[in-house]
Amino acid sequence: MAPDNKQPQGERFFTPGASGFRKAVEQRSAVPMTFLFTQVPRWVAPAMLVILLLAGFAVTNPLGGVAVLPVLAFVGWLAYLSWPSLSAGGKLLRVAMLTFLVLLVATRFGAI
């Protein structure tokens, strides 16, 4: 007998009725997410993000901006993937975090 691969009610890995671009991003994100959350110890990703963010705060030249760019990319990626399921408050929080990171990078590159 084949195992039942259905997820619990309300739990979906892919966005139902997604556009072509969103569907492609979600499908291409499945492999790195699976690797990140199953093959790498759980503490590695948050630790690396914190280290890079702290380096971005500590180093006030463009090298600090370069350190924050992977954090910005990761947070943006997760925000994009979770956007359809978020409430208005969750969306506002994601936009605020991304704005903060963009401003941090801009200050390190001397744009502000």
Side-chain angles (χ1 to χ4, degrees), residues 66-96:
V66 170
V68 178
L69 285 176
V71 178
L72 176 62
F74 186 77
V75 171
W77 174 55
L78 289 180
Y80 180 78
L81 291 175
S82 65
W83 195 263
S85 64
L86 295 175
S87 66
K91 290 178 180 180
L92 182 63
L93 185 61
R94 287 345 183 259
V95 169

Side-chain angles (χ1 to χ4, degrees), residues 9-88:
Q9 187 70 0
E11 296 289 326
R12 293 191 176 111
F13 186 71
F14 297 112
T15 305
S19 67
F21 180 72
R22 172 168 283 285
K23 190 179 292 188
V25 170
E26 289 177 353
Q27 288 174 347
R28 289 189 179 150
S29 296
V31 172
M33 285 181 76
T34 303
F35 176 78
L36 183 64
F37 295 124
T38 62
Q39 301 300 314
V40 178
R42 288 182 168 225
W43 58 269
V44 171
M48 290 302 298
L49 293 173
V50 168
I51 290 168
L52 289 169
L53 188 59
L54 289 175
F57 283 131
V59 180
T60 59
N61 59 33
L63 191 57
V66 170
V68 178
L69 285 176
V71 178
L72 176 62
F74 186 77
V75 171
W77 174 55
L78 289 180
Y80 180 78
L81 291 175
S82 65
W83 195 263
S85 64
L86 295 175
S87 66

